[in-house]
Amino acid sequence: MVAAVKRPETRTYNRRECITFRKTAERFGGLSNMAGGYLLNVNGVRILTSEALYQACRFPHLPEVQHQIIGERSPMTAKMRSKPYRNNSRPDWDIVRTKIMRWCLQVKLVQNWDKFSKLLLETGDLPIVEDSRRDDFWGAKPEDEEMLIGINVLGRLLMQLREQVKNDEISPQTIINPLPISSFLLYGREINPISKDGEHHFASSNDVPELEEISRQSESNTIDSDSILINVPKHELDANARSSQSSNQKKDLIEVAELQLDKYDSLQFILPHIVESLQEAERTDKELAELFKTNLAQMRQWLKRAVQLGKIKKLSKPVRYVVESQLSLIR
């Protein structure tokens, strides 16, 4: 239910000139998210594979589903456990899934440094390709005995990670920051920075602004010109500014506060994307519904609340919507 993401171009790979992986028992099978033996620790939660962690990130608003996924011992079963709920994935999933996969791989690397960094470096400078019979987005499909064709996003993320290891941009001491996206939650809790041993706690709250700046810089990184990692605007509410308003303004803010979004509200996922689209051009509710691939009734409900929150404005003659102001968006 978010704007369509432009699909990057497919690429063609010669098997003989690449490092490919399909089965986890193969030499480079550890590159797969399905590979066992790469234990993860996020917010003190023990997670058996990066596949389980990735699938759990689909459902920040459904902690009980996250429990089911992470509770499975098999990575394939964890993946299958998510399938019945995929229509209820976070609404911006298609936009953020590549960023989440990149984050999952970074956690896998830092928490399994000796084993995983060694495997990455053993691939040399060759292209890394997930050989997949079905998925030409994360991997590439066999065209014949020699050629593979696909977007190969996972392989390209792994190649990026390999370069970070070679250039000492990431190490066992690296703290993996949470992604600066809305509702990045595990079991109803905000995901904290991750160290090699698990949840990382900063010594002082003075470190938090630095963490946020690092996260913003990390978010601007891309794999290449195909822009696989898509940037999404990030904003924060300024509590200090709100507290300094006049008494009348405070009264208005109290009324708006009753409309504020909780972490399980679908509007909080979609609101930044609606505002971003309206910054490009004025749009009608029908145009927005079509753009975000949702029904008109749902879009009108979102727009009504966005107007009440003061994020956008409804104009008449003809009826269309515009950005109300540059006020911070609700996370």
Side-chain angles (χ1 to χ4, degrees):
M1 292 189 292
V2 295
V5 178
K6 184 179 179 181
R7 189 175 170 89
E9 294 181 2
T10 58
R11 299 186 177 192
T12 301
Y13 301 91
N14 188 319
R15 234 181 246 283
R16 298 179 182 179
E17 300 171 354
C18 300
I19 298 296
T20 64
F21 63 93
R22 176 183 288 180
K23 299 179 180 179
T24 58
E26 296 171 346
R27 179 184 175 189
F28 291 101
L31 297 173
S32 171
N33 286 320
M34 296 288 181
Y38 295 90
L39 189 64
L40 308 177
N41 184 333
V42 177
N43 279 16
V45 177
R46 183 173 178 266
I47 304 174
L48 297 181
T49 61
S50 52
E51 180 66 27
L53 176 58
Y54 172 77
Q55 295 297 339
C57 287
R58 283 178 174 270
F59 309 106
H61 54 305
L62 299 174
E64 67 281 4
V65 175
Q66 291 184 322
H67 273 281
Q68 293 178 36
I69 293 169
I70 291 172
E72 295 290 347
R73 297 194 60 80
S74 161
M76 182 55 72
T77 307
K79 182 177 180 179
M80 292 301 102
R81 177 67 70 177
S82 74
K83 280 200 168 183
Y85 305 98
R86 288 191 181 177
N87 287 339
N88 199 15
S89 298
R90 56 182 297 153
D92 60 352
W93 178 247
D94 285 343
I95 292 177
V96 302
R97 61 176 176 166
T98 300
K99 296 173 185 150
I100 288 175
M101 180 65 80
R102 179 175 180 266
W103 175 83
C104 290
L105 293 174
Q106 289 176 335
V107 173
K108 178 179 178 179
L109 173 62
V110 167
Q111 295 191 339
N112 299 273
W113 180 265
D114 291 343
K115 188 176 181 179
F116 199 45
S117 66
K118 181 175 182 291
L119 187 63
L120 284 170
L121 293 176
E122 285 176 355
T123 65
D125 295 317
L126 294 175
I128 300 173
V129 184
E130 181 180 28
D131 180 353
S132 174
R133 293 188 181 94
R134 299 181 179 179
D135 191 343
D136 65 351
F137 176 78
W138 293 113
K141 293 180 181 179
E143 181 74 5
D144 51 38
E145 292 185 0
E146 290 190 3
M147 308 307 294
L148 297 161
I149 299 179
I151 300 173
N152 190 37
V153 173
L154 179 58
R156 291 155 73 179
L157 287 171
L158 289 166
M159 286 185 274
Q160 183 191 58
L161 200 60
R162 179 179 66 189
E163 291 306 304
Q164 290 179 309
V165 173
K166 288 181 178 180
N167 297 330
D168 295 323
E169 295 173 10
I170 191 168
S171 73
Q173 287 71 46
T174 299
I175 304 302
I176 306 302
N177 297 316
L179 291 176
I181 60 177
S182 64
S183 294
F184 196 44
L185 308 172
L186 183 64
Y187 297 172
R189 287 181 54 207
E190 294 284 349
I191 292 178
N192 288 318
I194 305 297
S195 71
K196 63 180 180 179
D197 299 318
E199 190 173 4
H200 181 80
H201 296 281
F202 288 96
S204 168
S205 60
N206 292 332
D207 293 321
V208 174
E210 181 179 356
L211 166 64
E212 293 172 348
E213 178 61 27
I214 291 171
S215 296
R216 284 191 291 270
Q217 293 173 0
S218 174
E219 190 68 10
S220 66
N221 292 334
T222 59
I223 297 176
D224 56 26
S225 59
D226 282 346
S227 298
I228 288 180
L229 300 184
I230 303 166
N231 293 320
V232 178
K234 300 167 291 297
H235 306 271
E236 296 180 355
L237 290 172
D238 190 340
N240 291 331
R242 291 200 308 272
S243 65
S244 65
Q245 302 295 316
S246 67
S247 59
N248 288 336
Q249 291 173 318
K250 287 181 178 179
K251 180 179 179 181
D252 292 339
L253 287 170
I254 290 173
E255 292 175 354
V256 171
E258 296 175 355
L259 302 166
Q260 298 298 297
L261 312 173
D262 65 38
K263 60 190 175 186
Y264 304 126
D265 191 328
S266 62
L267 179 60
Q268 59 134 343
F269 294 97
I270 206 72
L271 183 54
H273 309 306
I274 291 176
V275 172
E276 182 181 18
S277 71
L278 293 179
Q279 287 172 337
E280 298 172 357
E282 299 178 359
R283 302 181 193 271
T284 67
D285 51 6
K286 291 181 180 179
E287 289 172 337
L288 288 164
E290 181 178 352
L291 180 65
F292 287 86
K293 296 183 178 180
T294 189
N295 62 70
L296 186 58
Q298 176 66 83
M299 178 54 67
R300 284 174 173 168
Q301 181 181 11
W302 281 335
L303 291 172
K304 180 179 179 181
R305 295 187 61 208
V307 169
Q308 291 172 328
L309 288 165
K311 304 306 175 184
I312 64 175
K313 186 174 182 179
K314 183 179 180 180
L315 303 179
S316 58
K317 297 181 182 181
V319 174
R320 74 270 190 209
Y321 292 85
V322 298
V323 175
E324 169 70 20
S325 68
Q326 295 302 316
L327 293 175
S328 298
L329 300 179
I330 297 173
R331 281 188 167 183

